């Protein structure tokens, strides 16, 4: 199959996954009229505002790659999406990145206020772990595997990784980003983005009963995919189309944030993103054609305009 045909298959599969995840999120999220209604409105507004559902796709596809049943992975796919949304809601706050638009709509704090946005994020984070602990066993996933999934997501999203990356970013911002070394930008990016994508792949592998070797391969793939994704995100913030991205552009440069284009320039950043993609693809060498969609996804990261 040609690369073009594989990309087309990938995009179709992403859309199918998006529709399935959106339907489940709509079904499982608290209804707007449930008390406290304003909080639940904020949660549904933020989660159901759109999005590529890339992280749920990674969970489902990683499960399939190791021979697992993708239906069993759906609760975990939804869990990582609501956790991801919590990070976006909090990142957009005035005390963080101070963004007014997300996914083409006003950000949560612009609609519901800062206090409610903080509580919205808190509630979504809690909901992610509730779904892992309760809905995975309901789908037939053994309790010990569900517990491993809880641990994997908690580790990836805690102080050493995702939240830690945001803390490092805030700390460096307070210093005026005086340390603009390649090592520093990597430390922040691998925590803010790679950690969660890696966890998505690992969780999918766990649900699919992957071997240790397969888990290691999926972990490496998720790490390098996440890094490539973040580098291209940095690039798009400088030269991307805000209508396609669904958010403001140019803020990183305006705020003199520590990004790959800031440290390396646009062209070298593109080269580094391509190198990360190749390392992601290489990580899947233990798999055959069953991992072709994951390979296609890695390569598509370099082409994306959103």
């Amino acid at each position: 199959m040609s690369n073009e045909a594989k990309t087309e298959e990938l995009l179709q599969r992403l859309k199918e996954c998006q529709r399935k995840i959106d339907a489940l999120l709509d079904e499982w999220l608290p209804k707007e009229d449930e008390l406290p209604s304003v909080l639940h409105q904020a949660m549904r507004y933020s989660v159901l505002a759109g999005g590529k559902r890339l992280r749920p796709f990674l969970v489902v596809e990683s499960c399939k790659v190791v021979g697992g049943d993708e239906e069993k992975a759906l609760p975990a796919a939804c869990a990582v999406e609501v956790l991801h949304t919590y990070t976006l809601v909090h990142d957009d706050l005035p005390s963080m990145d101070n963004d007014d638009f997300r996914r083409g709509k006003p950000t949560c704090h612009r609609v519901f206020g800062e206090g409610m946005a903080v509580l919205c994020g808190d509630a979504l984070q809690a909901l992610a772990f509730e779904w892992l602990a309760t809905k995975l066993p309901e789908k037939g996933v053994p309790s010990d595997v569900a517990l491993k999934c809880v641990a994997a997501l908690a580790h990836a999203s805690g102080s050493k990784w995702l939240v830690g990356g945001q803390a490092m970013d805030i700390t460096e911002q307070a210093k005026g980003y005086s340390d603009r070394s390649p090592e520093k930008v990597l430390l922040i990016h691998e925590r803010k983005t790679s950690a969660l994508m890696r966890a998505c792949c690992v969780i999918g592998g766990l649900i699919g009963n992957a071997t240790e070797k397969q888990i290691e391969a999926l972990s490496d793939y998720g790490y390098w995919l996440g890094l490539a994704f973040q580098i291209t995100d940095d690039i798009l913030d400088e030269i991307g189309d805000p209508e396609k991205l669904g958010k403001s552009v140019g803020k990183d440069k305006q705020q003199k944030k520590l990004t790959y284009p800031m440290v390396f320039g646009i062209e070298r950043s593109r080269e580094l993103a391509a190198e990360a993609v190749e390392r992601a693809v290489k990580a899947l060498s233990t798999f055959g054609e069953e991992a072709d969609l994951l390979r296609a996804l890695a390569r598509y990261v370099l082409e994306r305009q959103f």
Side-chain angles (χ1 to χ4, degrees):
M1 184 181 294
S2 67
N3 289 337
E4 291 79 9
K6 186 55 68 174
T7 298
E8 186 62 32
E9 181 184 353
L10 167 68
L11 295 178
Q12 183 62 36
R13 175 65 179 154
L14 279 167
K15 288 180 181 178
E16 291 172 1
C17 182
Q18 182 184 40
R19 286 194 292 268
K20 185 173 290 189
I21 295 300
D22 284 348
L24 287 174
L25 290 170
D26 183 40
E27 177 185 348
W28 290 350
L29 281 165
K31 304 306 177 188
E32 289 190 356
D33 57 357
E34 281 189 62
L35 293 177
S37 58
V38 176
L39 175 59
H40 292 149
Q41 288 168 21
M43 292 166 66
R44 294 182 67 87
Y45 175 86
S46 300
V47 174
L48 301 177
K52 299 175 287 295
R53 309 308 189 201
L54 174 60
R55 289 155 189 82
F57 177 80
L58 288 174
V59 174
V60 171
E61 199 61 30
S62 295
C63 180
K64 286 181 61 182
V65 162
V66 299
D69 180 357
E70 68 174 276
E71 288 297 314
K72 292 184 177 181
L74 290 175
C78 291
V80 299
E81 185 62 25
V82 296
L83 186 133
H84 173 57
T85 304
Y86 124 69
T87 68
L88 300 181
V89 170
H90 280 189
D91 281 356
D92 289 337
L93 287 167
S95 58
M96 298 283 188
D97 291 345
N98 194 22
D99 277 316
D100 291 333
F101 291 94
R102 171 72 65 178
R103 294 170 173 170
K105 298 181 179 180
T107 46
C108 183
H109 71 271
R110 295 291 295 173
V111 177
F112 296 95
E114 291 181 39
M116 196 57 64
V118 171
L119 295 174
C120 172
D122 293 344
L124 290 174
Q125 182 188 43
L127 192 60
F129 294 104
E130 179 183 341
W131 285 354
L132 288 177
T134 60
K135 293 187 179 296
L136 279 178
E138 289 173 6
K139 286 284 189 178
V141 176
S143 296
D144 63 323
V145 175
L147 180 60
K148 289 179 181 178
C149 293
V150 169
L153 187 59
H155 178 69
S157 60
S159 63
K160 294 182 179 180
W161 290 101
L162 195 156
V163 173
Q166 184 69 9
M168 292 173 69
D169 198 16
I170 291 174
T171 301
E172 293 304 314
Q173 186 175 28
K175 297 177 182 177
Y177 294 108
S178 56
D179 182 357
R180 299 182 181 275
S181 65
E183 293 79 13
K184 183 66 71 174
V185 71
L186 174 61
L187 281 174
I188 293 174
H189 280 47
E190 69 180 358
R191 282 162 173 75
K192 289 184 67 174
T193 305
S194 287
L196 184 54
M197 288 197 177
R198 178 170 59 189
C200 291
C201 296
V202 168
I203 288 169
L206 288 170
I207 295 169
N209 197 31
T211 65
E212 286 188 19
K213 183 178 180 181
Q214 289 173 326
I215 290 291
E216 182 179 350
L218 289 170
S219 175
D220 288 347
Y221 168 81
Y223 174 87
W224 290 110
L225 178 75
L227 191 59
F229 188 91
Q230 185 57 57
I231 296 172
T232 58
D233 205 56
D234 286 354
I235 295 170
L236 288 171
D237 185 77
E238 293 215 3
I239 63 173
D241 183 341
E243 289 191 9
K244 291 181 179 179
L245 291 170
K247 60 181 181 180
S248 305
V249 299
K251 293 201 68 175
D252 288 347
K253 190 171 185 178
Q254 181 183 355
Q255 297 174 355
K256 299 180 180 179
K257 296 194 73 172
L258 191 60
T259 65
Y260 268 73
M262 172 67 73
V263 175
F264 296 99
I266 294 290
E267 289 310 311
R268 180 56 182 153
S269 294
R270 284 178 170 148
E271 292 173 358
L272 290 169
E275 290 173 13
V277 164
E278 288 311 307
R279 296 187 76 160
V281 171
K282 184 178 179 181
L284 298 174
S285 60
T286 187
F287 299 106
E289 63 182 16
E290 68 273 12
D292 278 354
L293 284 184
L294 290 180
R295 295 185 181 99
L297 175 61
R299 296 189 174 104
Y300 183 69
V301 162
L302 297 177
E303 305 171 14
R304 71 187 185 97
Q305 298 295 318
F306 55 87

